[in-house]
Amino acid sequence: MNLDLLLQLVVNGLIVGTLYGVVAMCFVLIYKSTQIVNFAQGEFLLIGAWVCWWLMTSFEAPIWIGFPLTFLFMLIFGVLLQVVVLRPMIGEPIISVIMVTIGLSIFFQSLMGWIFGVFAKPFPRVFETESINILGLQVQTAYMMSLVISLVIMVGFYYFFKYSRLGLAMRATAFNQQVAQSLGISVKQVFAMSWAISAMVSALAGVVVGMVNGVSSALSFFGIKVFPAVILGGLDSIVGAIVGGLTIGVLENLAEYFDAQWLHLGNLYTVAPFYVLVIILMIKPYGLFGTKDIERI
Amino acid sequence: MSDAAPLLEVNDVSLVFGGVRALTDINFSVDRGELFSIIGPNGAGKTSMLNCVSGRYSPNQGRILFQGRDVTRLRPNQRCQLGIGRTFQNLALFNHMTVLDNIMVGRHHLMRNNFLTGSLYWLTGAQREELDHRRAVEDIIDFLEISHIRKAVAGTLSYGLRKRVELARAVALKPDLILLDEPMAGMNLEEKEDMARYVIDLNEEWGMTVIMIEHDMGVVMDISHRVMVLDFGKKIADGLPEEVMRNEHVRTAYLGEEAAGDADPNERVA
Amino acid sequence: MAGHATMRCGEFRTSYRADTTIFPTPMSRNFALGGVVLLVLAPLVLNAYYLNLLIQIGYYGIAALGLNILVGFTGQISLGHAAFFGFGAFASAWINNSFGIPVILSIPLAGVLTTAVGMIVGVPAGRIKGLYLAIATLASQFILEDFFARAEWFTGGSSGSLANSISLFGYSMSSDQSYFYVVLFFVVVMFLFGANLLRTRDGRAFVAVRDHYLSAEIMGINLTKYRILSFGISSFYAGIGGALYGHYLGFVSAEGFTILLSIQFLGMVIIGGLGSVMGALLGTTFMVLLPEVMTSLVGSVGDMLPGLSQGVAYIKQMAIGLAIILFLIFEPDGLAHRWKMVKAYWKLYPFSY
Amino acid sequence: ADSITVGHLAAYTGPTSDVGKPYGQGIADAMNYINANGGIDGSQLSFETVDYSYNAPQAIATYKRWMASNPAPVAIQGWGTADTEALVKFVTNDEVFFMSASYSGHLTDPMGKSERTKAAAPYNFFYGPSYSDGCRGVVQWASEDWKAKGGEGKPKFVHMGDNHPYPNAPKEACAAYAEELGFEVLNPIVYSLKPGDFKAQCLSLKESGANYAYLANTSGSNISLVKSCATVGVDTQFISNVWGWDENAQAAAGDAGYGIAWVVGAAGWNSDAPGMETVRAVSRMSDPSGNEARVLHYMRAVCGVFFMHDAMLAAEKMDGGVTGTNIKAAMEQMTDHVPAGLEGVCLPSTWTPDDHRGTNQVLVYKSTPNGFENVYTATLERRPEWLGW
Amino acid sequence: MAEAATRAETKEPILTVNNIEVVYDEVILVLRGVSLEVPEGAIVTLLGPNGAGKSTTLKAISGLLRTEDGEVTRGQVTFMGETINNRAPEEIVRRGIFQVMEGRRIVEDMTVIENLRLGAYTRRDKGVKDDIEMVFDYFPRLRERTGLAGYLSGGEQQMLAIGRALMARPRMILLDEPSMGLSPLLVKEVFNIIRTINREQGITMLLVEQNANMALRQASYGYIMESGKIVLDGTREELLNNEDVKEFYLGGGDDERKSFKNLKSYRRRKRWL
Ligand SMILES: Nc1ncnc2c1ncn2[C@@H]1O[C@H](COP(=O)(O)OP(=O)(O)OP(=O)(O)O)[C@@H](O)[C@H]1O
Ligand SMILES: Nc1ncnc2c1ncn2[C@@H]1O[C@H](COP(=O)(O)OP(=O)(O)OP(=O)(O)O)[C@@H](O)[C@H]1O
Ligand SMILES: [Mg+2]
Ligand SMILES: [Mg+2]
């Protein structure tokens, strides 16, 4: 047993896990208000990262300008996307809308490839110190930034859904669009809101990952990578998304630990979370915090 | 299993949801051939009672005997095989199937072909079986007078028609005991009359024992052999319709009659 | 009564048997028969390219039908279909290579083996529902992919495994022409099986489970059994499709069976129309032809605008994404639905409504 | 003949586009250059570039379309593993000369002599060392490096890469050779082909105390790996394969990337080899300004096309002219051949009818803040047991 | 139907439906020219057998057809002088028409209070809390239900659905079978509440009912619909005294009401069409 290594891995897992949590939250947001699983989530990250990268390299904008501008861009992007593509789909079968997000993902993936090329591009240096030491582990500063922002966002979301008028409207829309409409809720507005927020928050994650690894089309794989986190926490739970993210982050690292120390199977890091996911779902079919479907006749 | 024993026996059943006591120590039995009604205010636990009988809920306490056999722990599909069929208060049709297919699903447990023999349709007798059951289903369709919509997709039908399709599907199960949850809700007088006639026919001619939940007192009084009243999860009365009607509590808490005694039980609820 | 509105003027049947055929009208049956006859003649007129596309539509179409049984009929979304498809490909190659069982038998055997794997993967479906289940199947996608890389005895590891071509009575069916007939045979058989299955007891049970599982259970349907069974049957189709794919390519490597292909399968059934046998084939055709059509369309645009030559590849990909989006905006219920509308129109012609 | 039809399968989009793009551009530019400079003895190369997005069935469909067209191609410039392998059967059958960018060892065994080779691939060629040979070469460098640094005891070697056909390809061959050279071979470490945060793997690497880590993935995920490892403070010497590092990777990795040593198959853009003149001229086919700096893969692509060009020239003089069979035969007659005009750029290569290991030289480069440096050139023996492995 | 306007004398119609035709799925014609008028502040009832198109009419007014692939292909719906057909439903709600849909349609995964707050979604004033109390006063049973609305009994859900409509403080409520599934006591109560609301708050009501007795007792005017057409209309008195209406909708046309028991094989299908 190497406790030092174990500790470092757990810390690493927690930190990467927050990022999973943030992206998972974006999923949950869209799901909660529209019941759509957004397969273009990864592309949202990618677009956010590229836009921020572009602002910061072409105009040499500092991060505190580049980042808010990116947010603004993503806001407009989210609304536009909703108006142009998703609005006509209101009232259509959810599965068709999910397929549309797959189409979007193909579209944006190649659009980004065309505009920005396919090579990974380094992000301009943002923080004086690139990494700081936490419990013996060097951690990139960008992660710490995301940690703080995502905590704020998480708390915000929680209250938003629980208490705000719009939050209620989003939940009602997710329950049944016709019912929501009959209550005077503009399904279009609700959708626009949730896509815009989700796009903005994804951009945060995109920028952070971009800072750490460079920006490249591969970033979009993040979208699929966080599925286990989303499900583990429960599809409709903001808190669940964070817990799921952290759990998956730690799990991956623990798997790596056991693999490297004893098992030597290889690839446990990627696959183990999926085994655990299935086991947890067998015990708790709605994830850790997801609300049960109402089974009543 | 003897004919003398009641078809259904409910012993001491209690059901709790979180803090809500939906049912408390319910006891009753239904004899073969009876047309038994359950009435009571909204939220009294009538539907929950049916759910316990059909297997959707398992009671926290108590036993349910069907044909002398303890079915308390059986899955709904197993109870169906034993001969319990039902309809639902909030429609539960297969919305994307045609009316015909909906009813054919009711024959599921009576059929033998499976995915292998079904795939080889012509070679394995699956076709013959399908056609046999189709014939039986058409009889039901004729009986319930829904032949004009047999090819319609169930989800697009109006509420009243869907209720009727639900009844057809339950009848297709060939149950010994059929549970009807507010079969006449959402129907106008004429349609209620039709429905009442179907229920009576099922009971008298098709030989099914019926348990029916219904809020229309006129119907309940006219056609049921025996009535049980639930309120707040408790049984407050059980007996012949006229007896139950005379119960003070029923009149005030359920029917909302100001003065007891003189009202004609047959008066249309109005 | 309002029933008039739903009564069709163009339907006349005199027996239940006539009412339970796969093809609702004699015309549609003749249509289908004619289609098969045309396909039988196809190799005589079509060149290898078109045959190749038809073969692709064939093996993907079989797998897509399987997925449609799972997603469209039983209502369980699967993101792991590509892994089953791959498993079938590996299994058939393995059975043939290791045991010397002829390919024509190894293909159905691979289907059976894949069924077993599919049922195991389907076990959680007894408890997990909806999107949670979808992600659980995503897990099986990754777990199986990992297995492919690990199980060298089965998959040939990094160098992949060779899949021999079919030989019947000493005649090798390795040319596109002869392989086309093999695929056509399987397509016809599998689609007939599928259509039969879905109009009989178990098929109805699948749909019942999808539409309202609570009442389905009360109607006597064993939910767990049918949920798992549908995984099994769907995997059987995937396995057959995958095996045909493997023997056509002659080489099976884990690289081809990623989540991307799973998503593509999902695209096929959604675009084709969930819950429609015909839809599986239509959707597959759409997804297979789309890149080809886009290549030639965008290629000719690229010729006109030479500056775009590298961009052409991206434009093509974007066009594929866009085509999917536009298609669903205008036909969210899938091709099969459009097909039905066209049929309904003709049936009632010249009385609309 | 007035034109010679060639097919070009490229991966400009899809998962391998980061390296597929410069490589494909190199192929197209080189063929355009040949056409602009007299073609093959007067006949033009008529070629179509098709982006198949790294999707094997789509590649096959394209191949079938080509073969059904008139005239059908006699030669194909291909790309990835899955499609190359799937096409082996077809090109052999149709007798089409096929040059790929998939360097799998078993493609080097045209007669299927080695027991490791499952199917003979007589029409398949590639330019450069196979994955296994590349790894052997860079391990050879590592062994020299260890001695030069005065390392004590047995150096530790570890294979790192995804559990996937491509990274696994040289795993056993290379480990066997490393052991032979006196390395202690550690348990492999797995990291994804998709870029991500690999601190966990880096911590394992650090813990294992490996001296040399062979990165078998492509550059995209290698960038993430070296960056993560730099954060964690790993001081292992990274070595990598031919797709594992390039100028773009170095730019994205920044400081963390310096020091990595990897296999290079041809001269770099800034090389002063005489042949670079030609390469620059080729590059101007798509970049008239001549400003764009091409990455390493571009040069390899150009070499590949020029070898094909030379073979076609030779085939022209044979019975039947430029057919797939004749191009193959011409290739198999080359001994230590370097295409005219590309001296110093392409490695001298030899193909024979029963050995398609084109080159036994492996250039090892190291990335430094001053650019890429050729630190070593390994010359591997042509061991018979390495054929096809 | 021309006389309808003159007969609904007292007040100006707030809602006019003029000869509308509704088609589902582009092929299924359900309403074939329906016209009706609702005067301001009145309760008007719409009766008819199952499948006649009553719910469809209401959905055509409230704009909820579109989510079911339905469309008003001909005719107009005018509310307070403005044409509202094929407008977005949320806009129609904002103009003051609130529909209580058939089958309750409460948001099952929310609590009772959240459902009520949702009803007030279009309001921005401060009175929401008080109105929740008001609803609880009308339906005391709901106050005790703190769990998710999906677990309420059928009748409780119906109360919630009506309560939710009140929360919106609309000018007009379209009620689709509000008494369905309610116990006799509650049916009375609900109709009392409807009348009270109508009287106290001046909310106009268009009431679709199967319980014709009850409905006609509340309403000032009634329409009878069959197979997508209005076949009869008149004031309360006219309808109550119409022999056909008595026989088929009210029961006991002749003198004594028939017992349900003795209806066997007795068939009659008088239709106006
Ligand atoms: N699954 C459940 N979870 C929690 N509470 C439940 C559940 N099912 C029923 N209840 C509660 O149990 C009580 C009885 O409900 P039930 O549906 O049996 O009433 P009912 O007599 O059928 O009333 P109604 O006539 O209105 O349909 C209600 O208060 C209801 O809220
Ligand atoms: N979404 C739909 N698609 C197709 N047809 C529909 C749809 N909704 C309703 N219909 C048809 O329209 C007709 C009228 O339905 P509607 O629901 O308006 O009747 P209703 O008068 O409200 O009946 P009920 O009293 O049973 O509720 C029915 O024949 C029904 O089949
Ligand atoms: Mg009830
Ligand atoms: Mg209705």
Side-chain angles (χ1 to χ4, degrees), chain B:
Chain B
M1 193 210 310
S2 79
D3 261 3
L7 183 69
L8 178 78
E9 235 183 311
V10 173
N11 289 334
D12 260 348
V13 163
S14 294
L15 181 66
V16 183
F17 296 110
V20 181
R21 292 192 72 88
L23 294 172
T24 314
D25 297 332
I26 305 289
N27 279 298
F28 69 93
S29 63
V30 179
D31 290 330
R32 199 176 278 279
E34 252 192 316
L35 205 168
F36 184 86
S37 287
I38 304 180
I39 60 172
N42 293 116
K46 305 180 293 297
T47 302
S48 302
M49 190 63 246
L50 286 203
N51 275 332
C52 287
V53 175
S54 69
R56 187 64 244 147
Y57 294 160
S58 7
N60 301 64
Q61 172 205 311
R63 293 199 315 157
I64 294 168
L65 304 178
F66 182 68
Q67 297 181 336
R69 179 173 164 189
D70 189 345
V71 295
T72 323
R73 298 287 151 217
L74 292 188
R75 300 288 311 158
N77 55 306
Q78 294 169 313
R79 300 191 198 199
C80 169
Q81 259 150 18
L82 295 179
I84 301 181
R86 72 171 287 187
T87 67
F88 304 92
Q89 180 176 11
N90 295 330
L91 296 167
L93 282 177
F94 308 120
N95 278 338
H96 298 92
M97 289 173 133
T98 61
V99 168
L100 197 60
D101 280 343
N102 263 286
I103 306 174
M104 283 295 275
V105 171
R107 307 298 287 185
H108 183 86
H109 73 110
L110 301 169
M111 295 174 84
R112 288 294 149 257
N113 72 62
N114 59 28
F115 66 102
L116 274 179
T117 55
S119 296
L120 297 167
Y121 199 65
W122 306 278
L123 311 175
T124 50
Q127 179 174 35
R128 195 165 5 89
E129 186 178 33
E130 286 284 322
L131 293 182
D132 288 348
H133 284 275
R134 173 70 191 272
R135 224 157 268 140
V137 164
E138 290 289 344
D139 287 343
I140 297 169
I141 288 178
D142 282 346
F143 166 59
L144 292 175
E145 292 162 289
I146 44 178
S147 52
H148 59 291
I149 51 161
R150 63 149 91 70
K151 287 292 171 64
V153 175
T156 64
L157 295 175
S158 74
Y159 188 87
L161 288 173
R162 280 192 247 183
K163 286 235 108 151
R164 216 184 285 188
V165 176
E166 266 214 348
L167 180 60
R169 186 179 64 176
V171 172
L173 293 167
K174 259 172 103 180
D176 291 325
L177 174 66
I178 190 166
L179 315 171
L180 307 175
D181 199 346
E182 303 197 15
M184 286 144 204
M187 302 205 166
N188 68 16
L189 176 65
E190 187 182 347
E191 291 152 352
K192 277 182 186 166
E193 287 171 353
D194 286 345
M195 213 35 141
R197 193 165 50 79
Y198 300 143
V199 174
I200 294 169
D201 272 358
L202 285 179
N203 179 242
E204 293 181 356
E205 270 157 42
W206 296 56
M208 295 181 193
T209 307
V210 180
I211 299 183
M212 175 174 81
I213 297 176
E214 187 47 62
H215 282 305
D216 187 317
M217 279 308 105
V219 178
V220 172
M221 289 301 115
D222 286 353
I223 71 174
S224 30
H225 303 156
R226 213 146 53 86
V227 179
M228 171 170 84
V229 189
L230 295 182
D231 192 15
F232 286 108
K234 298 204 180 77
K235 179 166 129 179
I236 57 172
D238 181 356
L240 299 177
E242 298 75 29
E243 291 170 16
V244 167
M245 271 304 132
R246 280 196 287 276
N247 183 313
E248 196 69 21
H249 192 90
V250 173
R251 306 196 68 122
T252 50
Y254 181 55
L255 300 173
E257 282 165 12
E258 292 79 23
D262 50 1
D264 172 11
N266 281 352
E267 192 202 324
R268 164 128 308 86
V269 174

Side-chain angles (χ1 to χ4, degrees), chain A residues 163 165 178 181 294 296, chain E residues 67-68 105 117 121 152:
Chain A
Y163 298 108
R165 187 170 146 269
Q178 196 185 30
Q181 287 185 326
I294 291 176
R296 180 131 193 263
Chain E
T67 38
E68 294 184 6
R105 311 296 290 271
R117 279 174 54 207
Y121 177 77
L152 296 179

Side-chain angles (χ1 to χ4, degrees), chain B residues 155-161 186, chain C residues 2-3 6, chain E residues 24-25 28 30 48-57 59 68 102 176-177 208 210 225:
Chain B
T156 64
L157 295 175
S158 74
Y159 188 87
L161 288 173
Chain C
T6 49
Chain E
Y24 280 114
D25 270 338
I28 305 167
V30 172
N50 293 144
K54 306 179 295 295
S55 302
T56 303
T57 310
K59 281 184 263 184
E68 294 184 6
E102 193 173 22
D176 202 345
E177 311 206 12
V208 165
Q210 297 291 6
M225 175 177 234

Side-chain angles (χ1 to χ4, degrees), chain C residues 81-144:
Chain C
H81 208 58
F84 297 123
F85 186 77
F87 191 90
F90 280 123
S92 185
W94 175 69
I95 293 171
N96 174 242
N97 292 338
S98 311
F99 307 104
I101 294 173
V103 175
I104 198 73
L105 290 181
S106 76
I107 293 176
L109 280 177
V112 173
L113 219 54
T114 317
T115 310
V117 175
M119 306 248 284
I120 294 169
V121 168
V123 165
R127 268 180 73 74
I128 310 172
K129 284 182 282 288
L131 289 165
Y132 290 92
L133 180 63
I135 306 300
T137 60
L138 180 73
S140 69
Q141 164 81 39
F142 287 115
I143 290 170
L144 275 176

